[in-house]
Amino acid sequence: MRRSVLSVVATSAAIVLTSTLVGVTPADAHGWSSPGHGTSVTAGDRSLTPRTHFTMAADGSSGATQGGEGIPNIDSVKKTIATYYGDPGTGLANRTDSPYIDEMRSIVSRQSAGLQHIRDAAVRRGEKPAIVLDADDTTLWTYDMEVADMHFVFDTARQDEWVQDERFPAVPSMVGFVNRAQALGFTVFGLTGRNDDQKAATVQNLSKVGYTAFTQDRFFTKWTGVGASQQPSYITCAAAACTTVEYKALTRKHIEQDLGYDITLNIGDQWSDLQGGYADRSVKLPNPTYYLPSADLPGVSEPRLTPRTQFTMAADGSSGATQGGEGIPNIDSVKKTIATYYGDPGTGLANRTDSPYIREMRSIVARQAPVVAAQCAVGRKLHRNPAIVLDADDTTLWTYDMEVADMHFVFDTARQDEWVQDERFPATPSTTSLVSIAQRSGCTIIGLTGRNDDQKTATIENLNTVGYPQFTATKNGTQTYYTKWTGVGASQQPSYITCATAKCTTVEYKSQTRAHIESRAGGRYDVVANFGDQYSDLLGGSADRSVKLPNPTYYLP
């Protein structure tokens, strides 16, 4: 190993020197800032900002082609959705003013302007004009249930409680639109994925919030398969379980061909509400809070009725104020994309042997390890006391199974502590090799995590168990594993950390700890490389190079 390390020293040092002379960072020279290769920069914070442009397919397949930085971060998606609905962080939408309300007002205004013309044209043709509307997030607004109650984790039993209690408000602007359509002479039909046992409560809920057009006989709900609630004869499906498109399109066909109406307008918040034909016009309402997929009917091509794939999203959620609902990555599609990336078959458990994530991590480490080895070897040769600093969660220890299978992307401090104390985390793919190479090349290995002091012992033991014997609490009397204070007993904020407010930010805590590590009191190490899966692990300097590892499963600003 000594010979292999020395063999890369001259080459890597020359790269760094050349890059400095021409004003190009090693990241630029090697393409490390490109998707799939990790983001790496030299001293300073250049390029340490989250990506804002994304390509994402609704079915999650882009998790196989996009690197981790190219997948919309789920926490940023949640913040963007909250901004869009005027949710201050309570899970409750603003009922009077928000970008969503503004967009709905605009959509309804455009559709209202053409109602009279559409009705008159149908009457001239001798047709009976009708409008078909979905329920959830087309006429009844589910945001508070989906977010405040379910935290984006759908629960059938809880949904039925909301339905039977008739707790849903009206979708903004839709009551006036539907009632006006009825007054103009349109027959109004409801067509929802809610089941027959929920029909009465749904129609009553609609009436309670101001709709006058919906009646039991013109409101279609889905069969349960129990008792009299059976699949209608006018619906035939390719498989035992009908898709949403089959159910809704064939019900519209029944309305037109059997009941004698012309569906002049079909309105829904899901593409599957609209696909399959049997409507003169279709209007998609915005809804990034869930996605109900369904394949198009065989032989029916409707490229216009397909989800968007290009998105602009700021990590702080601010783009929810500027992007329409279709321009916000749908959270269910984001979840599926993340699952594909981690090789999760739908169980919430990552594939431990092969996945796009594992392959990307392998590629990053293959690119970074030789340069880290060179920096460590050069630093040791020049007696600079070189060190690398690494975060814990999703940098050295892998949290996917906890975040998804256990928490369903809803972080729980108590559950996290159980996982930590039980030392249940596997190693992040390929990083045991990186750490081993760095140590053998002359670097001291230092841990710096947002986990707290009460979790330090268990964290180090977990690291040692899964293949990191290099992590220790101290080395030669100097601290080499840093956890955050709890504020209880002896676990207090260190004197070397000063923060702008009473609660330190992650950047303040981590950057000032790195500065301490490089100081005489902290061991006078030279942090040649700083590794983290969050940008806040890396910002603030006190490291020669910073390397961002991929992680779309949470975002710590």
Side-chain angles (χ1 to χ4, degrees), residues 245-256:
V245 171
E246 287 174 321
Y247 158 56
K248 292 204 168 187
L250 293 173
T251 301
R252 292 195 301 273
K253 179 181 179 182
H254 168 66
I255 292 170
E256 289 203 323

Side-chain angles (χ1 to χ4, degrees), residues 359-380:
R359 293 192 291 273
E360 184 174 18
M361 284 297 299
R362 188 182 299 130
S363 175
I364 291 170
V365 169
R367 289 170 177 270
Q368 299 294 340
V371 180
V372 169
Q375 291 176 306
C376 294
V378 169
R380 179 179 62 179

Side-chain angles (χ1 to χ4, degrees), residues 190-521:
L191 174 55
T192 175
R194 293 186 180 188
N195 65 50
D196 287 347
D197 292 343
Q198 298 176 323
K199 176 186 279 191
T202 300
V203 174
Q204 288 167 10
N205 194 159
L206 288 161
S207 177
K208 184 166 70 175
V209 298
Y211 293 101
T212 60
F214 293 105
T215 61
Q216 295 279 342
D217 62 318
R218 293 199 303 272
F219 202 88
F220 291 87
T221 44
K222 199 169 184 182
W223 57 94
T224 64
V226 177
S229 178
Q230 300 296 325
Q231 182 173 327
S233 59
Y234 55 80
I235 293 180
T236 56
C237 304
C242 292
T243 68
T244 301
V245 171
E246 287 174 321
Y247 158 56
K248 292 204 168 187
L250 293 173
T251 301
R252 292 195 301 273
K253 179 181 179 182
H254 168 66
I255 292 170
E256 289 203 323
Q257 296 188 0
D258 301 332
L259 303 183
Y261 291 91
D262 172 40
I263 299 175
T264 59
L265 190 60
N266 178 30
I267 304 176
D269 65 288
Q270 300 292 314
W271 296 106
S272 53
D273 295 333
L274 310 177
Q275 294 164 334
Y278 303 105
D280 299 341
R281 300 167 188 79
S282 295
V283 176
K284 170 71 168 63
L285 301 184
N287 180 11
T289 65
Y290 57 87
Y291 177 67
L292 303 177
S294 186
D296 289 342
L297 288 175
V300 178
S301 177
E302 299 171 296
R304 185 179 65 84
L305 299 178
T306 55
R308 184 164 165 173
T309 58
Q310 299 296 320
F311 303 92
T312 297
M313 184 186 74
D316 64 0
S318 57
S319 51
T322 57
Q323 296 291 317
E326 292 303 307
I328 298 172
N330 186 286
I331 196 163
D332 279 353
S333 295
V334 171
K335 288 180 180 179
K336 290 181 180 178
T337 305
I338 290 172
T340 300
Y341 177 61
Y342 285 93
D344 171 2
T347 59
L349 302 174
N351 188 314
R352 298 285 182 88
T353 57
D354 183 57
S355 68
Y357 171 65
I358 289 173
R359 293 192 291 273
E360 184 174 18
M361 284 297 299
R362 188 182 299 130
S363 175
I364 291 170
V365 169
R367 289 170 177 270
Q368 299 294 340
V371 180
V372 169
Q375 291 176 306
C376 294
V378 169
R380 179 179 62 179
K381 186 177 181 65
L382 298 178
H383 306 290
R384 290 179 177 169
N385 203 12
I388 65 169
V389 171
L390 302 104
D391 172 56
D393 293 312
D394 297 290
T395 298
T396 51
L397 295 174
W398 194 5
T399 74
Y400 183 88
D401 293 357
M402 179 191 74
E403 292 284 347
V404 186
D406 193 340
M407 298 183 184
H408 307 287
F409 294 110
V410 184
F411 188 75
D412 183 318
T413 302
R415 292 294 296 145
Q416 185 259 4
D417 191 60
E418 290 181 29
W419 277 70
V420 171
Q421 303 302 342
D422 291 345
E423 304 170 21
R424 295 175 59 182
F425 300 98
T428 301
S430 296
T431 49
T432 53
S433 297
L434 173 72
V435 170
S436 178
I437 290 168
Q439 185 193 47
R440 294 201 303 268
S441 301
C443 271
T444 297
I445 308 303
I446 298 176
L448 173 55
T449 174
R451 293 185 179 188
N452 65 50
D453 288 345
D454 292 343
Q455 299 175 323
K456 177 184 284 189
T457 299
T459 299
I460 293 173
E461 289 176 354
N462 193 162
L463 287 161
N464 294 165
T465 300
V466 298
Y468 300 100
Q470 304 86 359
F471 285 106
T472 58
T474 61
K475 179 181 180 182
N476 300 326
T478 302
Q479 186 172 349
T480 50
Y481 207 89
Y482 291 84
T483 44
K484 200 169 184 182
W485 58 94
T486 64
V488 177
S491 178
Q492 300 296 324
Q493 182 173 326
S495 59
Y496 55 79
I497 293 180
T498 57
C499 304
T501 61
K503 185 176 175 63
C504 292
T505 67
T506 301
V507 172
E508 287 173 323
Y509 158 56
K510 292 206 167 186
S511 64
Q512 291 181 48
T513 301
R514 290 195 302 274
H516 169 71
I517 290 167
E518 293 198 321
S519 73
R520 179 188 294 274

Side-chain angles (χ1 to χ4, degrees), residues 52-68:
T52 57
H53 296 282
F54 304 91
T55 298
M56 185 186 75
D59 63 359
S61 59
S62 49
T65 57
Q66 297 291 315

